[in-house]
Amino acid sequence: MNDLSRRRLLQSAAAFGAASALPFSAARAADSLAAAIYPGTWDEAYRSVVAPLLAQKHGVDVAFDPLWAVDQVTKARAGRGIAPFDCFVLDPGPTAAAREADLFEPIDASMLSNAANLPDGMISADAATVNVQVVGLCYNPTAFPEPPTRWEQIFESPYVERLGLTGFQTTFGTVSLIEMAKVFGGSDTDMEPIFAKLQEALPKVAAVTGPAGLPGLFQQGQIDLMYTNTNNVATLKAQGVDIEFIAPETGAITFSTSLHITKGSENVEAAHKYIDTAISAEAQSQLQLSPYNMIPVNKQVELAETLYIKSVDELSDMVVHDWSVINPQRAGWIERFNKEITK
C-alpha cells in the first residue's frame, strides 16, 4: 500500500470511528486530516483531549500516526511531494531539518482564533508552539532516598547499576547526552568524552533501550534511574509508579514543541482548525492535568499545581541548545550510539 492510499485509509477509519461515537449533528464531519504524533503520552493526550474538541467544535476528525520526530521527517522526505500526513509535531532539531528540506506549508495566523493568546514569537510563518518541555533526571525514591544531583553521578555506584540508557533518537535523549558530555569536558561539538564514559559504563548499566522502552522498564522495576521529560514522569506517576523528577545542578533543560502543516497537504483548512484547537485554552487546560502534565503556552491558562514549574518565567533560567550546531552532527551520533552502545 502506498503512502497516499494509506493516508486515505487512515482518514476514512478516523472519520468512521469518531463519527460513530458522536451525536448525529457532530457526526456529519465537514472534513478530516491525518496528523503525526509522538508515541506514548502525546498519542494518548491528543486522542483523549484534542481530537474530541476538534470534532465537537469544528466537525473535523483526525487520524493519528504515531511517529518519533526523526521518523516524521524521514517519512515526509520519502513521500516525494505526496504528504504522508497533514501535520507534523516536532521539537526544535527536527523542525530545523524539516524547514531546511522545505517540508512545511505556510501557517496563516489569521485562521487561528487563539493566536493572540500565545506569547510573541510562538506563532511563526510555518510553526505554532503548543507546549514547552522540561528534561532532567528521574529516579525511584524508594531505591534512592538520596538521588543523584549531578549528571556525572549517574555513572557511579550505586546509581549506574540501576541506570537505563537511551540514545540520540529523541530530543530529550540528545540534549541529556550533550549535558553529560559537557560535565566530562566535552561540548555540543565534542561528544568523545560521553562516548568514552558510555563505553566504560556499559558492562554495569541495567539496560540500554530505545526511548519508548524506558518507561516500561522503569515500571517493571528493571531500572530505577533514567533521563527523560516531565511528561513521561507524570504519566508513570499517574499509573502508581514510584518515581520523582530532579533537575541536575547544572539546570533542567527546556525546549518547545510545535505543530506544522505538511507541504502538499490537501487539508490545509482542517489543519489550521487542528492547530487552533491544540493551542486553545480549553485544550491546554486539560493537557496540563495528570496524567499528561504538558506545560501550556496559552496565556489564558493558569498553571496547575501539579506541574514541575510554577511559572513560565522559570523557563528562562533553564538550559537551551543551539540546534543549528547540533543537527549537522546528530545523524552521526545516532548511528554511532546504535553501533557502539546498543549493539
Side-chain angles (χ1 to χ4, degrees):
M1 182 181 292
N2 60 37
D3 284 336
L4 182 58
S5 299
R6 183 171 181 272
R7 188 178 126 198
R8 285 176 173 164
L9 179 59
L10 281 169
Q11 290 173 340
S12 297
F16 176 79
S20 62
L22 292 169
F24 178 74
S25 57
R28 297 168 58 190
D31 209 341
S32 62
L33 77 156
I37 196 73
Y38 294 149
T41 301
W42 277 77
D43 189 13
E44 296 170 15
Y46 270 53
R47 287 180 193 275
S48 299
V49 176
V50 177
L53 286 174
L54 181 64
Q56 177 186 353
K57 293 186 175 298
H58 298 290
V60 174
D61 298 307
V62 54
F64 290 110
D65 191 2
L67 292 167
W68 296 115
V70 173
D71 298 326
Q72 293 175 39
V73 175
T74 300
K75 192 170 183 177
R77 282 177 181 270
R80 298 180 180 179
I82 298 176
F85 40 73
D86 299 293
C87 278
F88 291 91
V89 56
L90 297 173
D91 297 336
T95 291
R99 185 173 288 136
E100 185 177 355
D102 192 25
L103 298 180
F104 297 150
E105 290 283 349
I107 287 180
D108 182 351
S110 69
M111 297 175 67
L112 305 177
S113 63
N114 294 288
N117 294 325
L118 270 58
D120 292 344
M122 287 197 171
I123 300 289
S124 70
D126 59 15
T129 298
V130 290
N131 89 312
V132 290
Q133 298 194 42
V134 174
V135 175
L137 293 169
C138 62
Y139 64 98
N140 180 336
T142 301
F144 298 126
E146 295 184 7
T149 58
R150 294 176 284 114
W151 286 111
E152 55 265 47
Q153 283 182 286
I154 68 175
F155 294 98
E156 301 169 356
S157 293
Y159 306 116
V160 66
E161 289 85 359
R162 301 302 301 155
L163 173 64
L165 288 176
T166 194
F168 296 86
Q169 305 98 315
T170 60
T171 300
F172 78 75
T174 296
V175 294
S176 296
L177 289 164
I178 288 173
E179 292 309 296
M180 294 177 210
K182 289 179 181 177
V183 301
F184 291 115
S187 68
D188 53 8
T189 58
D190 178 13
M191 299 299 285
E192 290 304 324
I194 188 56
F195 273 108
K197 189 54 92 174
L198 290 169
Q199 288 283 7
E200 179 184 322
L202 201 52
K204 302 178 183 177
V205 296
V208 182
T209 185
L214 281 178
L217 292 178
F218 201 105
Q219 188 172 25
Q220 295 161 17
Q222 297 185 43
I223 62 174
D224 290 310
L225 179 65
M226 61 182 180
Y227 38 94
T228 189
N229 56 40
T230 55
N231 306 69
N232 284 329
V233 176
T235 300
L236 287 172
K237 183 173 282 191
Q239 295 171 354
V241 177
D242 200 7
I243 186 170
E244 295 294 342
F245 177 85
I246 187 170
E249 288 182 3
T250 49
I253 305 162
T254 188
F255 58 88
S256 61
T257 302
S258 48
L259 298 184
H260 313 262
I261 301 174
T262 310
K263 189 85 170 183
S265 168
E266 297 177 352
N267 301 291
V268 171
E269 183 176 352
H272 277 88
K273 292 175 179 174
Y274 170 66
I275 293 171
D276 198 38
T277 301
I279 63 174
S280 69
E282 190 170 2
Q284 300 236 317
S285 294
Q286 296 181 50
L287 292 171
Q288 71 167 337
L289 301 178
S290 179
Y292 313 123
N293 282 31
M294 294 182 171
I295 299 173
V297 293
N298 189 308
K299 293 182 291 187
Q300 293 186 331
V301 177
E302 184 176 347
L303 269 58
E305 293 182 357
T306 50
L307 292 180
Y308 287 89
I309 63 170
K310 301 304 178 189
S311 165
V312 292
D313 293 338
E314 294 178 30
L315 300 173
S316 61
D317 295 326
M318 295 184 185
V319 179
V320 295
H321 296 86
D322 184 350
W323 287 91
S324 68
V325 174
I326 295 170
N327 272 345
Q329 309 168 85
R330 190 179 181 191
W333 296 342
I334 293 172
E335 182 179 0
R336 185 175 174 184
F337 189 96
N338 291 340
K339 182 179 180 180
E340 297 180 11
I341 310 301
T342 303
K343 296 179 179 177

